[in-house]
Amino acid sequence: MSIKEREEFLFQKLREKDASIVADGVICEQEFLNARYKIVYILKEVNGGKSWDLRDFVYEGGRPQTWDNIARWTEGILSWEKEFPWSEMEIDNEQRRLRELKKIAAVNLKKTSGGHTSNNGEIYRAAVDHHDIIKEQIDLYKADFIICCGTEYAFMDACYKDREVDWKMTSRGIWYFRDGKSVVISFSHPEARVKDAYLFYALTDAVKEIMRCEEFVEQL
């Protein structure tokens, strides 16, 4: 079975309880599998609509507010050895989205839409209530990097509640741990009220430090 077929099997279980769920996951299976690293972004929820497919939306480039930053982060992670001047990263965003977003998976913890401002309590409850499906979905991807985008508490209680993890902190304050081959990073939401450049360099500097640690290089 393809990844998309296995995703659909999981979503069908959710649709039996709520037909309005919004599907998510791997944007383009071939590009995801061919990417240097498999990157999964853990997000909160979509903003509006019922029974649509986030994968199709992101395949077409998504919208700048969320996906400009995720496209930048993806490019930075996939080429972590490179130094990216911000003068390059703040331009050509539409083309970057079309190019880089096809290489990722995007997973919402709450698979029904919310409003303009997310209700963190609702997202937490959705993640915990459907923890089995969330965990099974994440396991499909065999990720190298799992980036929690302001979602680490709900994600951890959904997927790691009964497991001990060894959180570490980079020299610049980004928390992460390793689960087998996967590096799980606690980070900000892409629409956080922080300059885009600060977010980009905070995340990519953390990845550089992690990757330069010999034990992680051996695993990936």
Side-chain angles (χ1 to χ4, degrees), residues 197-215:
Y198 296 173
L199 291 172
F200 175 77
Y201 292 114
L203 181 58
T204 55
D205 283 356
V207 170
K208 289 177 192 290
E209 183 173 331
I210 293 166
M211 293 300 292
R212 286 171 176 153
C213 177
E214 184 175 345
E215 63 176 317

Side-chain angles (χ1 to χ4, degrees), residues 71-82:
R72 290 187 188 107
W73 299 352
T74 301
E75 184 173 4
I77 293 169
L78 292 176
S79 300
W80 62 269
E81 303 96 334
K82 180 179 175 181

Side-chain angles (χ1 to χ4, degrees), residues 11-201:
F11 300 150
Q12 190 55 44
K13 292 181 182 179
L14 292 175
R15 291 188 187 104
E16 290 171 2
K17 299 178 181 179
D18 188 341
S20 70
I21 76 154
V22 176
D24 56 28
V26 169
I27 308 306
C28 174
E29 186 163 346
Q30 182 175 358
E31 294 215 32
F32 178 76
L33 293 174
N34 289 338
R36 182 184 185 188
Y37 306 117
K38 297 179 181 66
I39 306 172
V40 179
Y41 293 94
I42 309 298
L43 300 163
K44 296 179 179 181
E45 63 185 359
V46 297
N47 180 10
K50 297 180 179 181
S51 307
W52 54 282
D53 197 321
L54 181 68
R55 296 167 297 188
D56 295 339
F57 177 70
V58 177
Y59 187 92
E60 298 297 330
R63 64 188 190 112
Q65 292 90 330
T66 299
W67 300 100
D68 274 2
N69 276 333
I70 289 182
R72 290 187 188 107
W73 299 352
T74 301
E75 184 173 4
I77 293 169
L78 292 176
S79 300
W80 62 269
E81 303 96 334
K82 180 179 175 181
E83 291 297 327
F84 291 91
W86 187 246
S87 58
E88 289 181 9
M89 301 309 291
E90 67 178 348
I91 62 173
D92 298 327
N93 289 305
E94 184 175 359
Q95 289 303 311
R96 182 179 293 107
R97 293 199 310 272
L98 289 169
R99 180 181 70 245
E100 300 297 330
L101 295 177
K102 293 179 176 66
K103 304 171 185 176
I104 69 166
V107 175
N108 282 308
L109 295 179
K110 178 172 172 279
K111 298 196 188 298
T112 53
S113 63
H116 179 69
T117 302
S118 295
N119 183 316
N120 288 327
E122 290 182 1
I123 291 162
Y124 181 89
R125 285 191 296 275
V128 172
D129 287 349
H130 301 297
H131 65 93
D132 51 342
I133 290 178
I134 296 293
K135 179 67 166 61
E136 196 170 346
Q137 184 180 8
I138 300 301
D139 288 345
L140 289 178
Y141 304 137
K142 298 178 173 57
D144 297 301
F145 290 97
I146 298 173
I147 314 297
C148 294
C149 300
T151 52
E152 66 275 10
Y153 294 112
F155 174 74
M156 293 301 295
D157 279 359
C159 296
Y160 290 90
K161 191 170 182 62
D162 298 320
R163 297 171 58 186
E164 282 193 25
V165 300
D166 182 17
W167 283 100
K168 301 179 186 299
M169 188 176 71
T170 68
S171 59
R172 296 184 180 177
I174 302 299
W175 289 93
Y176 69 95
F177 68 91
R178 187 179 68 191
D179 178 12
K181 67 170 287 190
S182 299
V183 179
V184 180
I185 299 176
S186 173
F187 198 61
S188 299
H189 191 275
E191 292 188 52
R193 294 180 181 178
V194 179
K195 286 186 177 180
D196 293 341
Y198 296 173
L199 291 172
F200 175 77
Y201 292 114

